[in-house]
Amino acid sequence: MRDRTVAEQVKAWHNSACQVCGTCLQTVAGPYAEGAHIQGLGRPHNGPDDESNMLCLCPNHHVLFDSGAIHIDDDFVIWDSIEQTRIGPLRRVSEHRIGLDFLRYHRQHYASPQDRAS
């Protein structure tokens, strides 16, 4: 079960700006961003619905992250998993403590073998 307040809190901390590109989509209904779980909820991943297991992403980077096309290392650097190139630092705020174990889980399940250790 998802708790919408968890995603809303993460988006509020980041002012609905993507942690990868900084984009904040403005819509008639207000700013739009997506709460992306690092370790997926439900089977087979069974990740928690917790702020430490979530990122604030634009729709494009949400798809890229969920598919493993981008990943984040333990130093919070974003990598292009296909081109094997550094994209840049993950945008962070002090209130949002991202769990390294969740980032490692994501790399283990989605990144290429050479990226898993990073």
Side-chain angles (χ1 to χ4, degrees), residues 10-18 22-25 31-34 56-57:
V10 170
K11 291 188 279 186
W13 284 332
H14 295 280
N15 296 312
S16 295
C18 178
T23 297
C24 177
L25 298 173
Y32 178 81
E34 297 178 353
C56 178
L57 300 178

Side-chain angles (χ1 to χ4, degrees), residues 75-92:
D75 294 321
F76 300 102
V77 173
I78 307 158
W79 291 86
D80 181 313
S81 303
I82 298 166
E83 298 293 326
Q84 302 295 311
T85 55
R86 183 183 193 273
I87 294 172
L90 184 71
R91 297 163 192 267
R92 297 170 57 210

Side-chain angles (χ1 to χ4, degrees), residues 99-118:
L100 289 177
D101 287 343
F102 301 126
L103 294 177
R104 291 175 188 142
Y105 182 92
H106 181 267
R107 287 196 308 272
Q108 191 67 21
H109 287 82
Y110 296 102
S112 63
Q114 62 265 30
D115 296 324
R116 291 180 183 165
S118 65

